[in-house]
Each structure stands twice: as C-alpha cells, then as structure tokens.
Amino acid sequence: MKAIFLCEKNDKIFKVYAPEAVCELQKLTNVQKTIYTKEDVLRDPASFHEVEMIFSTWGMPVFSEAEIKRCFPRLEVLFYGAGSVQKFARPFLNCGVKVFSAWAANGVPVAEMTVAQIILANKGYFLTSRLYHASGRAAAKAAFQKCTGNYGETVGIIGAGMIGKLVIQMLKSYRLKVLVFDPFLPQEKAEELGVEKCELSELFERSFVVSNHLANNPQTVGMLNYPLFSKMREGAVFINTGRGAQVVEEDLVRVLRERPDLTALLDVTDPEPPVEHHPFYTLPNCRLTPHIAGSAGDEVARMGELMLCEAKAYLSGSPTQYEVSEAMLKTMA
C-alpha cells in the first residue's frame, strides 16, 4: 500500500512519529521519510494518484472534496497523529476516506493537567497564593479557612466527551461529587460514570470548580456567559483547557472584575493569544497558559504510537478503535 507523510509543519511530524514508529511504518507500508505539503500535492497531482494511506499530525492541510478527488483518487485512509480533526475531516469523510485520530492519546495530558488544577483549586491554592503575594499571610490564611478541600467537594464538568470522561475517571481516586452538563450523555452512562447530570445554571451554582470540555462547534460558541459566571460560588474556579470560543470573554472579564474572589485558569482563548492589552493579561485573578494542556515534549510520541497501532489493525483486518465518523464530529472537541 502506497503511503505518504503529509503535513505543513515539518518540525512536528517526526516528533509525533518517533524513529521507532517510523521504522515500523516503513516495514508496513514502505512509506518514505519525505514530508509533503499541500503545495507539493497541488503542484503535481498525478504524482499522488496512487497514494492509499496518509500519515499526518498538527499542520494537516485542509483539502476540498474536489481537490481530494483530483489528487487522491485511490486514498483509503488518513491517520492523524493529534487530537481534533474538525478543521479538515469532513471533506475526506464525504469522499469515502476513513479518518483515524489520536484524540484518545492527546486527551491524556489534557485530562492530567485539568485534574491537577482541580485538586489545587479545591485546596484554595490559586486564591490563597494570590492573596499571600498581594495582601500577606493573614489574608491568605483567612481565605483558606473557607475552602473545603478535596473531601466531598463538588466539581462541575461541562462536556462528557472523551476528555471529559477521562477527567471524571481520574477524579475517582478522590472523594468528590461530580456534576456533568452534556445533552448527549445518556442517563445510564452517567450512572455508570458515577456522576450527576444537571443543567448548566445548576452546575455553575453548585460547583466549586467548573471545567470546560465542550465540543467545538457552532452550537457551543458563546455558551458560557455572564448569567452563568455570576452564579459561581465564593472563591470558585473556572478552568478552560477545551476551546476558547465557548466563552463570552467580555462577560468573563466583567465577572472577574466584580468578583476578585473568583479565579479563571485559561489555557485557551479566542483568539489565541488574546489581543494586545486584553484584560486577561492584567487581571490578578486570571491565569493564562499558552495552550499547553495537550501533548508536548516526549508526550507527543504517544499519538504516533497510537496511529501505528491503528495502521497495523487496519492493514491486518483487525478491529480498530479510533476511527472518526461524521456523527462523532458533532460532539468531539
């Protein structure tokens, strides 16, 4: 089967597909270590007419259905060694190409970072450390007396997709009550996960920590707004390691100004980074990180290994685990 590496970011692909994975893929498919870009493909479409398998990662170019049919008439499958496929997958699926994603592998470090922040938030870490620096130890200790800690506290998870479920599973080692807002989560699955389903308004009102994992689609844009943020408990924390577009940012800024007891931990914004002089940069109760929750450093090789395993299963006719369908795109981040 003829296979290629296709990616606009040449510095990424052989970090995701580490040397051992590349050797395995070469044995399976005879893929060469040349990295092609969309420009390469469009310059000479005939050279890619025999391609049946594509391996990619962050930087996967977007093709129209017409371009796919013209350039890749024999393409069967695309393996994406990263997370969200929202930007490029639909035209391939519409052309009958199978798409596989390493979203499960990429979700592990996101869930790990989210859980770490939840545990620190429940201990009052973010509020008390801020107060210690600004007002001294006594003020920090006074605020800490109102924190309930990680025994029996309530955490709200918005979106129980793959990452949301991972967070819930990782939180099981703690004695926490987990509320979930997700219209797509069946009640029986909620019971299996050990969570309580509720509406967004109730989730914000009852939870000490609220963590966003909503799917990134037009229906969720601007879903998290002032009426919700204003309901948050005293000292509460909002975490966003999902997508920035779900947050009405001017509403969040307003609440953070009105409620210095609240904390926002934002790994994502819309746009990224925030525009110059945005209040997020200077608000003392807002902490920005530069979209670091996903796979980084050596963690990225986990995604290449997962796509290698899927390629082996696909070629052998064995069951695969991480194929993406059109229906899944409605709820995936």
Side-chain angles (χ1 to χ4, degrees):
M1 178 170 280
K2 184 171 174 56
I4 63 168
F5 288 111
L6 178 64
C7 189
E8 302 293 336
K9 298 180 179 180
N10 290 357
D11 62 323
K12 296 290 186 184
I13 201 156
F14 292 131
K15 292 181 180 177
V16 171
Y17 298 94
E20 297 82 1
V22 171
C23 287
E24 287 290 310
L25 288 174
Q26 288 177 324
K27 293 175 185 176
L28 282 172
T29 68
N30 292 318
V31 65
Q32 301 302 303
K33 290 191 70 174
T34 304
I35 304 171
Y36 294 99
T37 65
K38 182 175 182 178
E39 182 180 354
D40 296 328
V41 174
L42 296 183
R43 186 188 304 117
D44 185 14
S47 296
F48 298 87
H49 283 182
E50 301 302 312
V51 171
E52 299 169 283
M53 182 178 289
I54 290 173
F55 291 93
S56 189
T57 184
W58 295 296
M60 170 64 198
V62 177
F63 287 84
S64 68
E65 290 181 34
E67 289 170 334
I68 294 167
K69 291 174 182 177
R70 178 162 58 93
C71 302
F72 302 114
R74 296 190 60 183
L75 185 63
E76 294 182 13
V77 60
L78 191 161
F79 293 98
Y80 183 63
S84 177
V85 299
Q86 291 282 5
K87 289 184 178 180
F88 67 84
R90 282 181 177 83
F92 285 95
L93 293 172
N94 291 341
C95 289
V97 177
K98 292 182 178 293
V99 176
F100 293 85
S101 167
W103 48 268
N106 192 47
V108 172
V110 178
E112 289 173 342
M113 177 168 163
T114 300
V115 169
Q117 290 181 320
I118 289 171
I119 300 309
L120 288 172
N122 283 337
K123 287 291 289 185
Y125 172 83
F126 300 103
L127 175 60
T128 58
S129 63
R130 184 166 72 246
L131 286 173
Y132 204 138
H133 284 280
S135 305
R137 178 182 173 87
K141 287 289 286 185
F144 178 69
Q145 298 307 316
K146 299 179 182 180
C147 295
T148 59
N150 284 293
Y151 188 83
E153 186 54 274
T154 301
V155 174
I157 303 297
I158 308 174
M162 188 276 298
I163 294 177
K165 285 188 178 75
L166 270 177
V167 171
I168 291 165
Q169 290 163 0
M170 291 180 182
L171 287 175
K172 285 187 175 180
S173 59
Y174 301 89
R175 183 71 173 268
L176 295 168
K177 182 175 183 60
V178 179
L179 305 180
V180 171
F181 169 80
D182 190 326
F184 298 98
L185 182 68
Q187 180 58 37
E188 57 269 25
K189 184 62 178 178
E191 293 172 2
E192 180 183 323
L193 289 169
V195 301
E196 177 187 342
K197 288 186 67 178
C198 66
E199 294 302 312
L200 264 180
S201 179
E202 182 182 357
L203 184 145
F204 271 85
E205 191 170 1
R206 292 174 56 190
S207 303
F208 188 74
V209 182
V210 175
S211 185
N212 175 44
H213 304 281
L214 280 172
N216 195 34
N217 57 49
Q219 290 72 37
T220 62
V221 171
M223 205 168 175
L224 308 180
N225 54 26
Y226 182 82
L228 294 172
F229 291 124
S230 62
K231 291 180 180 292
M232 294 181 75
R233 290 167 49 189
E234 182 179 358
V237 177
F238 172 69
I239 299 171
N240 197 0
T241 55
R243 291 292 184 268
Q246 285 99 45
V247 176
V248 181
E249 293 187 344
E250 56 267 36
D251 286 5
L252 180 56
V253 167
R254 176 184 170 188
V255 170
L256 291 175
R257 284 173 169 161
E258 293 174 351
R259 299 273 309 276
D261 60 295
L262 301 181
T263 302
L265 307 177
L266 307 179
D267 192 49
V268 289
T269 56
D270 186 32
E272 290 184 13
V275 297
E276 190 175 2
H277 305 305
H278 194 286
F280 283 158
Y281 290 116
T282 53
L283 279 166
N285 50 346
C286 177
R287 289 196 175 190
L288 293 171
T289 47
H291 204 143
I292 63 172
S295 298
D298 292 342
E299 293 171 339
V300 302
R302 182 193 281 129
M303 298 186 295
E305 288 177 3
L306 189 63
M307 290 299 92
L308 168 63
C309 291
E310 289 291 89
K312 286 180 177 178
Y314 177 80
L315 290 171
S316 68
S318 302
T320 55
Q321 298 183 66
Y322 301 108
E323 182 176 354
V324 177
S325 67
E326 178 71 29
M328 289 170 65
L329 294 179
K330 296 178 183 178
T331 58
M332 290 180 75

